[in-house]
Amino acid sequence: MTQAETMPGELPDDAQPILSVRDLQAHFRTDRFGVKRDVKAVDGVSFAVRRGEIYGLAGESSSGKTTLVRTIAGAVKPPLDVVGGRVDFAFLPGYGGLRRAPAAEVARIRWRHLSYIMQGSMNVLNPVRRLRSAFVDFAYPHIGESRKQFEQDVVAHLARLKLDPSVLAAYPHELSGGMRQRATIALATICRPDVILADEPTTALDVVVQKEVLAMISGIRREIGSSVVLVSHDLGVHAQVTDRLGIMYAGRLIEEAATVEIFRNPLHPYTRHLISSLPRIGDDVPRKGLEGAPPNLADPPPGCRFHPRCPLAMEICRHKVPATLETAPGHRIACFAVNRSEAA
Amino acid sequence: MSGYFAYVVRRLAQFVLVVFIGINIAYVITHATPIDPVEQSISVVTSFGNTAPDAIEKMRTSLRELYGLGGSPVEQYLAFWKRILRADFGPSMSAFPTPVSTLIGRALPWTAGLLAVSTIVAWGLGSLLGGLAGYYQESRGLKLIGVIAIGVHPIPYYILALVLLIVFGFLWPVLPITGGAAMNLPQAPTFDFIVSVMQHAVLPALSLILIGVGSWFLGMRALVSHVVTEDYVVYAELAGVRPWRVLSSYVMRNALPPQLTGLAMSLGGIFNGAVITEKVFGYPGVGSLLVDAVYAGDYGLVLGVTTVSILGVSTGVLVIDLLYPLLDPRVKVT
Amino acid sequence: MTGILRDLWRYHAEFRIGAALIAVALLLSVLASFSPYPPQQVYVVPPDVPPSLTYWFGTTSRGQDVFWQLTFAMRNTLLFGCTVALISRLLALTIGLFSGYKGGWIDRSLMAVNDTFIVIPLLPILVLFFFVMRDRMSWLLLALIMASLGWAYDARLIRAVAMSLKAREFTQSSLFSGMSTREILVQEHLPYVMPIVFSTTLNNMVWSIGLEVTLAVLGFTDINTPTIGGMIYWANQHTAMVAGIWWWIAFPTIAVIMTFIGLFLLAVSMNDYIDPRSRLRSFGGAS
């Protein structure tokens, strides 16, 4: 395997990552009626996803989570632009991202190896065609078999996800929101991809359906061994299914650890705030809100982006960007207040 | 299926309403104005030559009877509708004693053929090119077509027809510029006759098509440039669906329903264009008939053509409306 | 408003071209006030003179100077378009806002009538109107009847916006604060639909001027008031094209095409500026 050189050496695990992202920078650049804007939506994010794990990405809205997965998925269209960094997949070695790979290679790996559940899946299905045609368009070219065999496979896959085969003959508007989301997940997993990028798959669903969908995702990981990158603003979702969790703030990954560790021992002041604001049974202490608002990413504060709101802010936080350091095995964090040695 | 049935009933009701209101507008215009249409017609007819006073008197009585101008307003209104429903507009005054309905019946196939062919060609070609232009926004050739479309589509039908007439009638006389077919040929489905009909239709059809292509191009391009940003298109692209499939089944396919609605809504305007184009090229359709009837002061014929064109355009719209669910499955539930 | 116009001018080539074309049309119509000849008088100059330094656009077979005739024609044609647009705007606004706000059966019946007006072929009806009125047909009368037939499409657009406004919270709070329907529509909703009203005004002018030209070249209007269509009508009456007096037809034709393209480009660029989708597309946004 030649990927050994291309993989970051600082990875905490000996398992070969299926996906690794290094120093990724993606900006929204606009120039309309003379107003130039450069929104640094993703600004130097690095992380790796192991085979068969569910990696969670959390953070409030406009923290850059969606832009990050869009960039990984290669959904980069103006005004979004990848400014720097690389994205490496084990199944697409050497190019540093879909954007740089030849079109034929990209077409080969899409859906077969990498699939994507887009945010707002209410609108991701073609409204004027039946669901069957989506399965045919998306998956059939990747599966070298007869149409009849393919149809049987699809029905079997739907049955595995407890979906009735009749959904294939339905138009999207004929399905409920939950059904549509489950059909979308079936569509994204039919080719047994290595990596599934799932962006807010449970948002806008009611709690019962949410639970079903999450169970579906864990079930798929168990059965076909895919790795999942799960984006959600809802920490409750992460607590239920993810193995490891990265916390994003203002376009940067500020803390990453095993999900259990994050909940038990959050280190970054922002993560600590997020965890402490979760409701707990029997606890009636009023929750403290965080002062201020997330920064404007067109003109972010210098240094650590969290410093204007941080209770532990020091002088150095105002002008130096904290590096992401591993404080305990598998627990990475970007904060001067935690990594005292760096600040000194 | 019941969803479609309810839809059909709704469209039929709308069709009846359109015809009803349209014909009522015609009634109001002819009956609520201070001018007596009978006297008006007679003054136009008599201004062309010497007519004996007793002949005028006869004409006046027959016209009054024909248009139900006698009796109370309610009786007049009912008499008017009775004539419309029986498609009986009396004898034409300019081609006496041929009935108006015969004249219209003779002219209608010409207009219907010209309009159907040119509208379908213009809509199809304009939508196809516009769809490509909206999808391949960087293509130079398609950008150029866009600029030409912007320049051509706002030109009034009359002006474009005139320009074509000048170019192909005077500067480079290669095509017949007047009539519907060569005069010396019998109107029978012979090869020569059909060729002649097609030759004569080229210029009128071309002026309708050029303007049509321009506006359908611009409409479709605008629609497609919105559709390409929809989630389902972005998603299909991300899933690695082949580009031509994305373009045809996702992008164009979703832009077509509104484009078809656009066609239904512009049929009236296209018909207006056909009227004037027919007149410019002396094409023997209802447009020429209408204009000549006004010049000849033939009230029955003007009213007849107006009624028939309201009916014809509404029927065209109805047909499109009934086809619409084939393109958009969502109408059945709403 | 001036800020928007300045931005459009600076960054929108279509707007610049459109504005320039309309500026020429406006300049022509303003010049009408300085004409040395009264518009309706004939044989004031030698007939059939080709374009020259004395008669820039030549003269007609009726002994009129094409240039000065064109200034009157332009003024009347633009004025006609504005009049129709203004009156039909009032109708479209009233019906669109009311229908969208009220909803229910009022909306359904108003829109059924509205769709009827969109579908009906107007030219035969206008021709019938002329047939009945004949010599009493005037410029203003035609403008009135066209305005009363040409509001429907724009009313539908305005209704769509009104419906979405109705669902917004501020409408509910105005309602609970005791404002009447008229007050809500005029004070709260009107400002939101103004951008559409502007862009549809331009499209409506293209429509009404186009129909007026068509009717006029057929002689189905008041042919004694000079308009662009009227000029072409008289040129046809004198078989100008066959007689080689091309300038009599060419200059009005160029003028009207110029006006149409100008109005269309202005409408397009304004739509582009107003359309929230195209704005969103180019601003982008992080999420």
Side-chain angles (χ1 to χ4, degrees), chain A residues 59-115:
Chain A
E60 57 202 306
S61 48
S62 82
S63 61
K65 313 179 296 281
T66 291
T67 313
L68 177 59
V69 282
R70 269 176 67 181
T71 312
I72 296 170
V76 180
K77 267 190 179 176
L80 180 60
D81 188 20
V82 178
V83 181
R86 50 188 298 140
V87 177
D88 288 285
F89 298 99
F91 46 80
L92 186 73
Y95 296 110
L98 295 180
R99 192 165 61 88
R100 303 201 193 116
E105 278 291 281
V106 174
R108 182 181 65 81
I109 66 116
R110 275 199 197 283
W111 235 246
R112 180 71 197 83
H113 295 281
L114 171 69
S115 74

Side-chain angles (χ1 to χ4, degrees), chain B residues 256-286:
Chain B
L256 270 189
Q259 182 82 345
L260 191 66
T261 307
L263 179 64
M265 295 206 289
S266 355
L267 278 191
I270 297 172
F271 179 82
N272 292 350
V275 169
I276 187 84
T277 308
E278 281 183 8
K279 183 60 200 159
V280 171
F281 293 104
Y283 203 73
V286 290

Side-chain angles (χ1 to χ4, degrees), chain A residues 67-309:
Chain A
T67 313
L68 177 59
V69 282
R70 269 176 67 181
T71 312
I72 296 170
V76 180
K77 267 190 179 176
L80 180 60
D81 188 20
V82 178
V83 181
R86 50 188 298 140
V87 177
D88 288 285
F89 298 99
F91 46 80
L92 186 73
Y95 296 110
L98 295 180
R99 192 165 61 88
R100 303 201 193 116
E105 278 291 281
V106 174
R108 182 181 65 81
I109 66 116
R110 275 199 197 283
W111 235 246
R112 180 71 197 83
H113 295 281
L114 171 69
S115 74
Y116 179 30
I117 299 165
M118 220 162 92
Q119 191 173 13
S121 58
M122 296 302 118
N123 305 315
V124 301
L125 296 169
N126 191 344
V128 297
R129 298 177 82 217
R130 295 178 200 278
L131 241 62
R132 172 177 286 106
S133 69
F135 279 91
V136 173
D137 288 350
F138 283 40
Y140 185 62
H142 294 294
I143 297 176
E145 59 191 17
S146 71
R147 266 300 277 279
K148 217 176 140 209
Q149 182 62 42
F150 176 69
E151 181 94 357
Q152 283 171 5
D153 284 1
V154 171
V155 171
H157 184 65
L158 289 176
R160 195 156 46 224
L161 301 178
K162 298 188 182 67
L163 278 164
D164 194 85
S166 66
V167 298
L168 289 177
Y171 288 103
H173 70 266
E174 294 168 340
L175 300 176
S176 68
M179 280 293 271
R180 231 182 295 181
Q181 181 62 289
R182 288 163 61 191
T184 310
I185 292 174
L187 183 62
T189 51
I190 178 79
C191 292
R192 302 169 160 262
D194 299 310
V195 175
I196 300 164
L197 305 171
D199 192 0
E200 301 278 5
T202 58
T203 312
L205 298 177
D206 66 63
V207 186
V208 178
V209 183
Q210 222 177 71
K211 215 166 169 212
E212 280 172 24
V213 166
L214 290 178
M216 236 173 124
I217 291 175
S218 339
I220 284 159
R221 186 263 300 263
R222 202 169 44 243
E223 285 187 32
I224 61 184
S226 304
S227 310
V228 181
V229 176
L230 182 84
V231 172
S232 178
H233 65 277
D234 183 351
L235 282 174
V237 167
H238 291 292
Q240 284 181 58
V241 290
T242 60
D243 302 316
R244 287 195 303 141
L245 184 56
I247 309 286
M248 288 193 72
Y249 182 79
R252 289 185 183 148
L253 193 67
I254 50 146
E255 183 163 5
E256 178 201 70
T259 307
V260 186
E261 171 80 1
I262 292 266
F263 280 91
R264 201 177 290 149
N265 183 24
L267 292 177
H268 195 284
Y270 177 66
T271 318
R272 256 188 258 171
H273 160 74
L274 282 184
I275 302 293
S276 73
S277 61
L278 288 174
R280 273 186 193 87
I281 294 168
D283 175 8
D284 50 6
V285 180
R287 305 276 175 239
K288 261 204 318 266
L290 206 53
E291 301 270 312
N296 172 7
L297 294 181
D299 182 24
C304 174
R305 287 187 178 169
F306 188 59
H307 82 253
R309 302 170 78 186

Side-chain angles (χ1 to χ4, degrees), chain B residues 135-201:
Chain B
Y135 194 62
Y136 299 107
Q137 287 179 357
E138 301 307 314
S139 157
R140 287 212 170 175
L142 291 165
K143 267 188 188 165
L144 183 69
I145 294 178
V147 172
I148 296 172
I150 288 179
V152 170
H153 105 278
I155 299 177
Y157 286 99
Y158 174 77
I159 306 277
L160 188 70
L162 193 69
V163 171
L164 288 178
L165 187 76
I166 292 164
V167 172
F168 293 101
F170 297 100
L171 303 179
W172 188 39
V174 289
L175 283 165
I177 54 163
T178 187
M183 293 298 235
N184 52 0
L185 291 170
Q187 292 214 2
T190 60
F191 180 73
D192 285 351
F193 179 71
I194 292 170
V195 168
S196 176
V197 165
M198 284 165 85
Q199 274 178 347
H200 280 76

Side-chain angles (χ1 to χ4, degrees), chain C:
Chain C
M1 192 64 197
T2 49
I4 294 174
L5 291 181
R6 199 190 52 227
D7 281 356
L8 277 168
W9 177 263
R10 210 177 287 164
Y11 305 107
H12 227 291
E14 279 140 350
F15 182 81
R16 276 200 298 274
I17 300 169
L21 290 173
I22 293 306
V24 173
L26 284 175
L27 184 70
L28 266 180
S29 52
V30 168
L31 283 178
S33 315
F34 303 98
S35 170
Y37 318 106
Q40 274 150 7
Q41 215 151 326
V42 290
Y43 300 110
V44 288
V45 290
D48 299 343
V49 181
S52 65
L53 281 179
T54 338
Y55 307 110
W56 291 355
F57 290 178
T59 67
T60 73
S61 306
R62 306 174 80 213
Q64 291 168 317
D65 185 315
V66 172
F67 178 79
W68 294 112
Q69 196 68 17
L70 192 61
T71 59
F72 285 110
M74 204 54 162
R75 191 185 66 184
N76 290 340
T77 297
L78 285 180
L79 215 55
F80 179 83
C82 290
T83 311
V84 175
L86 195 73
I87 302 172
S88 63
R89 266 355 52 192
L90 290 177
L91 284 167
L93 263 176
T94 316
I95 294 167
L97 283 179
F98 190 70
S99 184
Y101 179 72
K102 280 293 179 184
W105 68 269
I106 295 181
D107 177 48
R108 272 199 302 281
S109 41
L110 274 176
M111 281 306 112
V113 174
N114 183 83
D115 290 352
T116 304
F117 275 86
I118 293 177
V119 167
I120 289 176
L122 295 177
L123 189 62
I125 289 186
L126 291 171
V127 168
L128 186 68
F129 187 62
F130 166 77
F131 186 86
V132 175
M133 299 305 284
R134 291 274 166 181
D135 299 340
R136 296 191 212 186
M137 188 76 165
S138 74
W139 182 96
L140 189 64
L141 203 57
L142 184 66
L144 281 176
I145 184 132
M146 279 179 63
S148 58
L149 295 172
W151 49 269
Y153 188 74
D154 302 335
R156 226 183 207 297
L157 295 178
I158 291 167
R159 166 185 170 265
V161 179
M163 279 172 75
S164 72
L165 288 173
K166 185 190 172 185
R168 301 254 293 268
E169 226 166 76
F170 71 92
T171 307
Q172 294 306 314
S173 56
S174 325
L175 190 65
F176 291 132
S177 71
M179 284 170 84
S180 70
T181 300
R182 197 184 58 80
E183 283 170 329
I184 292 176
L185 294 185
V186 174
Q187 293 170 21
E188 303 291 327
H189 289 182
L190 195 58
Y192 286 90
V193 296
M194 275 333 260
I196 304 193
V197 171
F198 279 123
S199 74
T200 56
T201 301
L202 299 167
N203 288 326
N204 187 266
M205 284 178 73
V206 171
W207 169 81
S208 63
I209 293 176
L211 261 182
E212 199 275 339
V213 169
T214 304
L215 287 169
V217 293
L218 293 171
F220 294 169
T221 52
D222 170 18
I223 43 175
N224 291 317
T225 307
T227 62
I228 301 279
M231 281 185 81
I232 300 174
Y233 168 78
W234 283 113
N236 283 340
Q237 289 296 303
H238 290 258
T239 56
M241 219 51 232
V242 183
I245 323 283
W246 56 266
W247 52 89
W248 195 356
I249 288 192
F251 288 109
T253 305
I254 293 169
V256 76
I257 292 179
M258 195 183 75
T259 312
F260 276 136
I261 297 181
L263 287 172
F264 174 73
L265 288 178
L266 286 188
V268 166
S269 53
M270 285 187 77
N271 261 339
D272 200 29
Y273 197 88
I274 294 160
D275 184 2
R277 285 232 255 182
S278 76
R279 265 205 257 186
L280 201 66
R281 253 205 316 282
S282 45
F283 280 133
S287 58

Side-chain angles (χ1 to χ4, degrees), chain B residues 1 3 10 20 27 32 48 64 71 98 175 195 233 240 304:
Chain B
M1 213 52 218
R10 251 195 337 268
F20 180 74
Y27 181 82
F48 286 118
R64 288 203 171 277
T98 320
L175 283 165
V195 168
V233 174

